Amino acid sequence: MKDKKEEHTYLETNGDFKMRELDKSDLEQFNALLQYAFQVTTYDLFQTGWQQEEIKYAKRPILEEAYVLGWFYGEKLASMIVVYSMKINIHDEIMDMGGITGVATYPEYTGKGLIHSLMKHVLNYIHEQEMPISFLYPYSIPFYRKMGWEIVSDKLSFTVKDTQLPKPRPVDGMVERVSLDSEDYHNVHSYFALQRHGCLIRDNLSWEEYWRWDNDDMIAAVYYNKDHRPLGYVVYYIANDIFHIKEMVYLNIEANYGLWNYITAHFSMIEQVQGDNYSGEPMAYLFDDSEITETISPYIMARIVNVRDFLEYYPYQIQPEDLKLHFKVHDEMAPWNEGDYMVSWHDGETVCEQVADNQSINVVELSVNTLTTMLMGYKRPSYLYEHEKITTEYYMLTWLERLIPVEKPYFSDYF
């Protein structure tokens, strides 16, 4: 054990607390803190089909494939954060993304600024790894807002009574139930993700996280057209006369009709359908009986980690060569982002450079939070201006509205 101590590199010390990266030898403590902080008991895991050894090693891939940073009090893990290396679709531009998860602290160590200091180190890490943006699922929206994150996507939960299910529509294809690791099922998501703004590009670790805490009754059903080409899927389970939809994805309207035909075919077995929709648009309008129940709640938060790179990679709708736009950004947690960024376009290329903070025209002043939610398309520039999130001349709103694509993010994953 003494030799093991000497191998560790500590990034920061504070009295008896030491910060370092976790490795496989910390697996037991890592699992214990996760289960304690997120209130997942061994009994809960058994109920969803997990075995004792599976529970022990379920999160081991994280310590092998992700960056895990923690504070230790002596030899005991006190607090930690996990960063996944991921990819995200930003208006058809595939960007590297740092997915933050596993933010946890034992209650006896709260109030000591452990998470705040871990977050600063993690932001530096994401920046050094050249990931322009980061996503996380918030346990406290105000907490993460203070650190520069902002809401960028909603979850729309819906309940449809059996009598409100759509009438079957004629389609040439059919639905087939497939295994959860079906290549056709995974391929549909890959095609969808490459076409849909805000969607996570799932790699092996992302798929593992997608299924990790689900029960063994989950079913995947794929819609195939007349040429047996997979064009959509629904992932669901049935319990207590309820058809629970985990996710429904379709590449065209034919697949949408085919999947709803399949759901409606369960009419005699169920009393209602419940599910989540991540499109940002309510579904009621599409039903003949639109008096379905829908609730909207904030789902995922994001923050731009490298403003210059993000502004340069960003796929603007237009490229006006007669415009030089200045984004004056404020970012307390990531001081490298603080400043004035001039964006211009030349020969079809976007150029972004940090300039002296003395501009008087075409200036848009805003926090990194607001910049993130605006460029992600969650809130439009005019809305943000009206709610005093942006400081600029009124005429600049016309430019911003033309520059930023009109599409809300679709983000259905949890990690």
Side-chain angles (χ1 to χ4, degrees):
M1 182 60 92
K2 187 174 181 181
D3 292 338
K4 195 68 177 176
K5 280 188 192 177
E6 294 172 353
E7 291 176 9
H8 291 143
T9 300
Y10 294 101
L11 303 179
E12 190 177 329
T13 59
N14 184 2
D16 292 326
F17 289 92
K18 294 183 179 180
M19 182 194 297
R20 66 168 173 84
E21 186 177 354
L22 276 68
D23 56 36
K24 286 183 285 188
S25 68
D26 301 305
L27 178 61
E28 190 172 333
Q29 290 205 69
F30 175 78
N31 277 335
L33 179 49
L34 273 183
Q35 290 189 33
Y36 188 94
F38 297 105
Q39 302 174 47
V40 179
T41 67
T42 301
Y43 175 77
D44 293 331
L45 297 175
F46 283 152
Q47 290 295 100
T48 55
W50 287 80
Q51 301 301 317
Q52 186 64 50
E53 284 302 300
E54 289 178 318
I55 295 170
K56 183 177 179 181
Y57 293 107
K59 289 288 188 177
R60 186 168 183 169
I62 297 177
L63 294 176
E64 297 172 344
E65 300 178 39
Y67 179 75
V68 187
L69 194 63
W71 276 106
F72 286 78
Y73 182 70
E75 295 300 309
K76 183 179 181 182
L77 180 63
S79 180
M80 68 181 183
I81 291 183
V82 178
V83 181
Y84 289 155
S85 176
M86 297 175 143
K87 292 186 182 296
I88 194 89
N89 182 340
I90 308 292
H91 296 297
D92 296 331
E93 182 75 23
I94 307 303
M95 292 192 187
D96 291 322
M97 185 270 282
I100 292 180
T101 183
V103 181
T105 303
Y106 281 113
E108 60 265 36
Y109 303 120
T110 57
K112 300 181 183 299
L114 302 183
I115 290 296
H116 188 272
S117 58
L118 285 174
M119 193 65 79
K120 293 192 80 166
H121 278 274
V122 159
L123 274 176
N124 271 293
Y125 170 81
I126 295 172
H127 179 53
E128 290 168 358
Q129 296 298 308
E130 299 183 349
M131 302 174 188
I133 191 167
S134 172
F135 278 58
L136 58 77
Y137 179 83
Y139 67 80
S140 167
I141 289 174
F143 176 79
Y144 287 114
R145 272 185 169 153
K146 291 177 183 177
M147 298 188 181
W149 271 264
E150 189 51 83
I151 302 163
V152 295
S153 183
D154 290 331
K155 178 172 73 172
L156 286 75
S157 300
F158 60 87
T159 300
V160 180
K161 298 176 185 177
D162 55 357
T163 55
Q164 297 173 312
L165 287 168
K167 295 177 181 178
R169 299 174 186 250
V171 292
D172 293 329
M174 65 178 293
V175 172
E176 297 178 21
R177 281 174 288 137
V178 299
S179 66
L180 298 182
D181 58 358
S182 161
E183 186 177 351
D184 287 343
Y185 161 42
H186 285 211
N187 284 343
V188 170
H189 184 271
S190 295
Y191 290 133
F192 177 78
L194 291 172
Q195 296 174 18
R196 193 62 192 260
H197 165 56
C199 201
L200 183 70
I201 311 298
R202 290 181 189 154
D203 57 12
N204 290 336
L205 185 57
S206 302
W207 276 111
E208 288 176 9
E209 286 297 287
Y210 179 77
W211 292 116
R212 193 172 300 283
W213 307 122
D214 283 318
N215 63 45
D216 288 340
D217 296 325
M218 203 66 71
I219 299 167
V222 172
Y223 176 81
Y224 293 89
N225 70 2
K226 63 180 180 180
D227 299 319
H228 207 256
R229 181 185 172 193
L231 294 177
Y233 65 79
V234 58
V235 179
Y236 68 98
Y237 68 96
I238 300 173
N240 302 317
D241 300 322
I242 299 173
F243 191 105
H244 297 269
I245 298 176
K246 176 178 172 69
E247 185 176 42
M248 182 170 165
V249 162
Y250 49 91
L251 302 181
N252 61 17
I253 195 66
E254 175 192 343
N256 175 268
Y257 291 161
L259 291 169
W260 275 109
N261 288 350
Y262 176 75
I263 295 168
T264 300
H266 292 78
F267 179 85
S268 63
M269 300 169 53
I270 61 174
E271 294 180 354
Q272 59 182 231
V273 175
Q274 295 180 359
D276 298 317
N277 162 27
Y278 301 90
S279 69
E281 289 293 329
M283 295 170 52
Y285 174 77
L286 301 175
F287 284 78
D288 291 332
D289 182 350
S290 292
E291 293 185 31
I292 68 172
T293 301
E294 290 186 273
T295 58
I296 301 175
S297 56
Y299 186 64
I300 207 77
M301 299 183 82
R303 70 112 72 213
I304 295 172
V305 177
N306 187 313
V307 168
R308 197 199 71 80
D309 284 354
F310 193 87
L311 290 173
E312 192 161 83
Y313 297 155
Y314 188 79
Y316 302 90
Q317 283 194 129
I318 60 173
Q319 297 179 331
E321 297 204 357
D322 57 342
L323 175 68
K324 290 184 178 179
L325 172 62
H326 292 266
F327 287 103
K328 186 176 180 182
V329 180
H330 300 292
D331 190 345
E332 293 182 7
M333 281 288 289
W336 58 83
N337 283 333
E338 188 83 21
D340 184 331
Y341 294 86
M342 184 179 73
V343 179
S344 57
W345 296 269
H346 308 281
D347 299 324
E349 297 290 332
T350 302
V351 177
C352 178
E353 52 187 320
Q354 195 163 0
V355 297
D357 187 14
N358 58 2
Q359 307 303 316
S360 58
I361 61 169
N362 299 348
V363 177
V364 179
E365 186 171 358
L366 70 183
S367 68
V368 71
N369 312 57
T370 302
L371 180 66
T372 301
T373 201
M374 180 177 72
L375 294 183
M376 286 298 296
Y378 181 72
K379 295 298 180 187
R380 298 302 299 172
S382 298
Y383 175 91
L384 295 168
Y385 176 82
E386 289 167 4
H387 289 81
E388 300 182 337
K389 299 291 186 178
I390 294 175
T391 302
T392 191
E393 295 295 329
Y394 191 76
Y395 75 90
M396 284 303 300
L397 294 178
T398 301
W399 279 114
L400 291 173
E401 291 287 355
R402 292 176 63 195
L403 286 163
I404 299 170
V406 182
E407 184 180 0
K408 287 193 173 183
Y410 176 103
F411 194 95
S412 61
D413 285 72
Y414 178 86
F415 49 82

